[in-house]
Amino acid sequence: MPIEIMSMLSQQRPKERPTPRPGIMAIHAYVPGKASAPGAAKVYKLSSNETPLGPSPQAIEAYRGVAGHLEDYPDGAATELREAIGRAFGLDPARIVCGFGSDDLLTLLARAYLADGDEAIHTTHGFLVYPIATLSTGAKPVVAAETNYTADVDAILAAVTERTRIVFLANPNNPTGTYLPFDEVQRLHRGLPPRVLLVLDAAYAEYVRRNDYQSGIELVATSENVVMCRTFSKIHGLAALRLGWMYGPEHVVDAVNRIRGPFNVNAAASAAGVAAVGDTGHVERSVAYNGKWLAWLTAAIGKLGLTVTPSVANFILIHFPRTTGRTAAEADKVLTARGLILRQVGAYGLPHALRMSVGTEEANRLVVATLAEFMARPDAHG
Ligand SMILES: Cc1ncc(COP(=O)(O)O)c(C=O)c1O
């Protein structure tokens, strides 16, 4: 269209236009981890906490099996998947809701329980979806301070007001990799008014190998105001399919079922999920692999003079000096040039750190070798 006509048309546009509800324009849209490293011969994506082992071969086969029936709508209630999860965890399938990733469920919980002027608490370096989901409802995100990059129960309880409706707690937390022992989660729950919904986001639960950790199943089963969210994106290696689930009290399940998309889990995701949750051997191998390389990376990077926050998940948070030549931004540049994509975590209030997913042996060794060279560079000063 000629420029004169375009400008004429734009002058004719009315001044008034639709505006989003309060809160929407305060949202900083979620920026996923980078996926490319221009110029690098080979790319190692270590930026989104995906598994280096991929999904169970049985899940891939089940996924392929759906290809012959793409014209049919899926079962809107995801019955087979809920039953498979129920069998695997000993849960009543009627108290499970599946979603398009656990992001979907976190957002649905916010929509179901928050309104204009309400408050939802998350911790300083909590998962970014919590403030996004909160703001999208017109409610206010309230930040509770952490201690040593770990959720602090006293700080969360101190942040509770008359307006608090939800507490979001990632346990373990992303991007710090730290966790709260179960007795602390119980103490948090005891301190919350019954009207406050405690959302335990256990996306990384399978990776945790600590006797004092629990994902929250027991607490959900014995209370009326706790929900646990889980994902197939991490240990099950199905991030591309977008699949998560939550376990909650009957009344919360009922509320979420009323507002979720009628077919929010597609047939391929559902079939792959059923197979994945049944392949306990694959999960065990993934846990063992992660345990070995998490410890190796933590020790090897620590020896370079960098601080690594002790993690129980499938990623580590690496803290860099603020000295010119040694900063997180400069390290990121050097790593990216070699195809090693870590996650910048400035948006999480951690501008001097990078988060690294546990990767393949090749990727892990390459990161350590590259960081060793980086730390030995002569050009640091200041
Ligand atoms: C703490 C936490 N919760 C939830 C999610 C989202 O998982 P999903 O892929 O199921 O939406 C992530 C993904 O990074 C996460 O780190």
Side-chain angles (χ1 to χ4, degrees):
M1 197 184 289
I3 291 183
E4 311 83 67
I5 300 183
M6 276 170 66
S7 91
M8 218 175 76
L9 286 176
S10 74
Q11 278 163 19
Q12 283 169 6
R13 274 197 205 129
K15 288 278 173 288
E16 218 182 356
R17 60 181 191 178
T19 49
R21 57 181 300 156
I24 301 287
M25 299 315 289
I27 292 174
H28 297 283
Y30 186 87
V31 181
K34 284 187 294 183
S36 65
K42 183 168 175 185
V43 170
Y44 305 86
K45 185 166 182 271
L46 305 167
S47 56
S48 299
N49 303 340
E50 294 136 336
T51 171
L53 303 186
S56 152
Q58 292 163 36
I60 298 173
E61 200 183 315
Y63 169 80
R64 290 205 175 109
V66 175
H69 306 281
L70 297 184
E71 68 281 15
D72 295 336
Y73 276 95
D75 167 19
T79 311
E80 277 184 42
L81 179 59
R82 286 186 300 105
E83 285 174 357
I85 295 168
R87 273 194 304 279
F89 290 89
L91 306 175
D92 176 3
R95 290 181 53 181
I96 295 170
V97 186
C98 298
F100 187 66
S102 49
D103 288 347
D104 183 26
L105 298 164
L106 294 165
T107 305
L108 288 169
L109 287 165
R111 266 177 59 203
Y113 290 95
L114 298 174
D116 286 351
D118 287 342
E119 295 174 359
I121 299 173
H122 66 92
T123 65
T124 312
H125 306 299
F127 185 44
L128 282 178
V129 166
Y130 310 149
I132 293 175
T134 301
L135 284 165
S136 74
T137 68
K140 184 176 145 203
V142 173
V143 179
E146 295 178 1
T147 304
N148 294 329
Y149 299 104
T150 308
D152 179 326
V153 169
D154 295 311
I156 296 172
L157 291 177
V160 173
T161 72
E162 283 288 291
R163 307 303 316 247
T164 308
R165 291 289 175 274
I166 293 184
V167 171
F168 288 108
L169 180 74
N171 199 28
N173 185 50
N174 168 24
T176 53
T178 56
Y179 78 107
L180 280 188
F182 189 54
D183 59 358
E184 277 293 274
V185 176
Q186 285 175 306
R187 185 164 78 84
L188 170 62
H189 176 245
R190 276 197 305 274
L192 291 175
R195 63 155 200 283
V196 175
L197 183 66
L198 175 59
V199 178
L200 297 174
D201 179 354
Y204 302 94
E206 293 87 349
Y207 289 110
V208 186
R209 302 205 289 187
R210 292 286 193 283
N211 290 335
D212 59 358
Y213 174 80
Q214 284 190 34
S215 61
I217 286 176
E218 184 190 315
L219 201 54
V220 175
T222 55
S223 54
E224 287 295 315
N225 65 334
V226 185
V227 170
M228 174 195 67
C229 292
R230 302 284 283 256
T231 182
F232 280 86
S233 301
K234 307 302 173 184
I235 200 133
H236 293 298
L238 295 175
L241 295 183
R242 313 305 301 124
L243 189 57
W245 59 280
M246 57 163 252
Y247 173 56
E250 225 172 85
H251 64 99
V252 177
V253 165
D254 178 41
V256 171
N257 271 330
R258 285 168 196 259
I259 58 168
R260 70 175 171 82
F263 303 102
N264 64 335
V265 175
N266 69 67
S270 191
V274 170
V277 82
D279 190 350
T280 49
H282 186 72
V283 172
E284 279 164 24
R285 280 189 293 281
S286 305
V287 172
Y289 177 91
N290 188 69
K292 173 181 164 187
W293 287 102
L294 182 72
W296 186 85
L297 283 165
T298 305
I301 295 173
K303 274 189 210 142
L304 303 177
L306 295 165
T307 308
V308 177
T309 300
S311 168
V312 294
N314 67 335
F315 55 87
I316 50 171
L317 187 66
I318 311 168
H319 303 268
F320 287 81
R322 298 177 190 197
T323 331
T324 308
R326 297 278 184 273
T327 65
E330 287 159 300
D332 190 39
K333 238 189 224 162
V334 170
L335 289 159
T336 305
R338 300 222 177 142
L340 297 160
I341 307 177
L342 276 65
R343 177 63 177 258
Q344 291 180 357
V345 278
Y348 282 96
L350 297 160
H352 306 293
L354 294 176
R355 191 193 67 199
M356 173 192 177
S357 315
V358 172
T360 58
E361 174 170 358
E362 183 189 3
N364 297 337
R365 291 193 185 279
L366 215 55
V367 168
V368 170
T370 306
L371 287 177
E373 271 177 49
F374 174 74
M375 292 303 286
R377 291 193 323 186
D379 57 348
H381 52 83

